Amino acid sequence: MPETKSFETVAANVAAVREKIDQTARACGRDPASVTLVAATKVQTSDTIRNAIRAGITVCGENRVQELTAHLEDNAYEGARVHFIGHLQTNKVKFVVGKVDMIESIDSSRLLQAVEKQAEKVGVVQDILLEVNIGQEESKGGAAAAELLELAREALSCPHVRLRGIMCIPPATASEEENRGFFQETYQLFVDIKEKLEDNSTNIDCLSMGMSGDYPLAIQGGSTMVRVGTALFGARPPWRPQG
Ligand SMILES: *Cc1c(COP(=O)(O)O)cnc(C)c1O
């Protein structure tokens, strides 16, 4: 785990990213308040997370179950909401459902049904996003774009799940032009699901896309939620598989 980042460092980064978000939104005629900054806190210490929240972060995004559990036990997220943004195995849903405000990474019927079952068991209605594998990468989580509408229908039929929108992570190797295309496609999927499925009882309002390298582009593409790690906390040590 890296060292705790000082409040001053984190606060300066949060302010800079928030300013860039606001500028970008205004430049394309959007209300800056329509874009939520989610701090991707993987590998950060509980004290770094506390510093981020003190600096104005309102949503933390966690992508490993073990770290989520440790930070929850530590009360590290106090004062902020928590989203689960990583790949979730069905045998771990009990550590996540009802413990986070939103699960952004539902990518199969099997996982959806496991979340529904656990949410019923603990008596909650769990907010979720569907994750789309927009670059059709074999190695990556996410549902195929062609299956997304069907999965969204299924989510709406689950009484203990509240479908709030969709999320995507474009291929890491994508060029700016390719990324623009991926964001456009994801936006279209979002609009399509909204038009076909939204009614008085639903509120499909979250489009989670954009990371440190591409969040301005994602905001231009209609993102309402950017998940930013490196630009807030600095570079991370190389990724290692979760135990
Ligand atoms: C780590 C992570 C991010 C943030 O990535 P950065 O490039 O560090 O901003 C966003 N989304 C998910 C799902 C992540 O795991």
Side-chain angles (χ1 to χ4, degrees), residues 207-243:
L207 177 55
S208 175
M209 56 185 196
M211 313 192 347
S212 292
D214 57 17
Y215 69 89
L217 202 63
I219 292 167
Q220 290 164 8
S223 172
T224 71
M225 228 176 238
V226 293
R227 308 175 310 271
V228 178
T230 306
L232 298 179
F233 304 116
R236 289 179 298 272
W239 190 85
R240 67 211 129 67
Q242 184 177 9

Side-chain angles (χ1 to χ4, degrees), residues 38-42 61-64 84-87 104-105 131 167-169 208 210-215 226-236 239:
V38 178
T41 50
K42 60 173 168 279
E62 205 58 80
N63 76 339
R64 291 172 193 171
F84 192 79
I85 62 177
H87 179 66
E104 297 198 17
S105 43
E131 180 180 351
M167 181 269 248
C168 79
I169 311 173
S208 175
M211 313 192 347
S212 292
D214 57 17
Y215 69 89
V226 293
R227 308 175 310 271
V228 178
T230 306
L232 298 179
F233 304 116
R236 289 179 298 272
W239 190 85

Side-chain angles (χ1 to χ4, degrees), residues 13-235:
N13 292 344
V14 168
V17 171
R18 189 65 239 183
E19 179 55 29
K20 182 87 186 160
I21 291 171
D22 293 1
Q23 272 176 9
T24 309
R26 273 191 225 101
C28 56
R30 298 187 53 195
D31 177 2
S34 69
V35 184
T36 300
L37 170 58
V38 178
T41 50
K42 60 173 168 279
V43 314
Q44 305 305 333
T45 65
S46 289
D47 279 338
T48 298
I49 293 173
R50 291 187 187 100
N51 284 340
I53 295 168
R54 238 179 94 206
I57 287 297
T58 57
V59 188
C60 295
E62 205 58 80
N63 76 339
R64 291 172 193 171
V65 172
Q66 259 182 351
E67 289 180 42
L68 172 73
T69 303
H71 290 316
L72 285 171
E73 281 172 3
D74 234 8
N75 277 325
Y77 304 117
E78 209 171 294
R81 285 170 284 153
V82 186
H83 289 187
F84 192 79
I85 62 177
H87 179 66
L88 182 56
Q89 292 167 281
T90 50
N91 64 344
K92 292 195 177 159
V93 296
K94 61 175 177 294
F95 301 112
V96 179
V97 170
K99 300 184 189 285
V100 299
D101 298 278
M102 184 181 280
I103 302 174
E104 297 198 17
S105 43
I106 302 293
D107 62 356
S108 70
S109 170
R110 191 162 162 262
L111 179 57
L112 174 64
Q113 293 303 334
V115 168
E116 163 64 22
K117 202 170 150 200
Q118 179 67 16
E120 178 175 21
K121 188 175 163 189
V122 296
V124 297
V125 176
Q126 178 69 61
D127 274 13
I128 65 158
L129 304 182
L130 301 179
E131 180 180 351
V132 56
N133 184 355
I134 199 67
Q136 298 178 301
E137 293 172 282
E138 278 193 23
S139 61
K140 206 169 231 163
E147 290 161 12
L148 209 64
L149 187 61
E150 203 43 49
L151 192 56
R153 281 214 172 86
E154 189 182 334
L156 289 181
S157 75
C158 294
H160 301 89
V161 158
R162 190 184 294 120
L163 176 66
R164 294 290 305 278
I166 68 178
M167 181 269 248
C168 79
I169 311 173
T173 54
S175 68
E176 184 169 325
E177 232 11 73
E178 286 168 333
N179 250 345
R180 202 185 295 277
F182 287 133
F183 290 146
Q184 239 165 39
E185 283 173 50
T186 309
Y187 181 76
Q188 275 315 314
L189 287 167
F190 175 65
V191 170
D192 193 44
I193 286 174
K194 256 174 103 71
E195 281 178 1
K196 294 204 167 108
L197 303 182
E198 202 168 42
D199 61 26
N200 290 337
S201 67
T202 57
N203 192 16
I204 300 174
D205 56 354
C206 299
L207 177 55
S208 175
M209 56 185 196
M211 313 192 347
S212 292
D214 57 17
Y215 69 89
L217 202 63
I219 292 167
Q220 290 164 8
S223 172
T224 71
M225 228 176 238
V226 293
R227 308 175 310 271
V228 178
T230 306
L232 298 179
F233 304 116

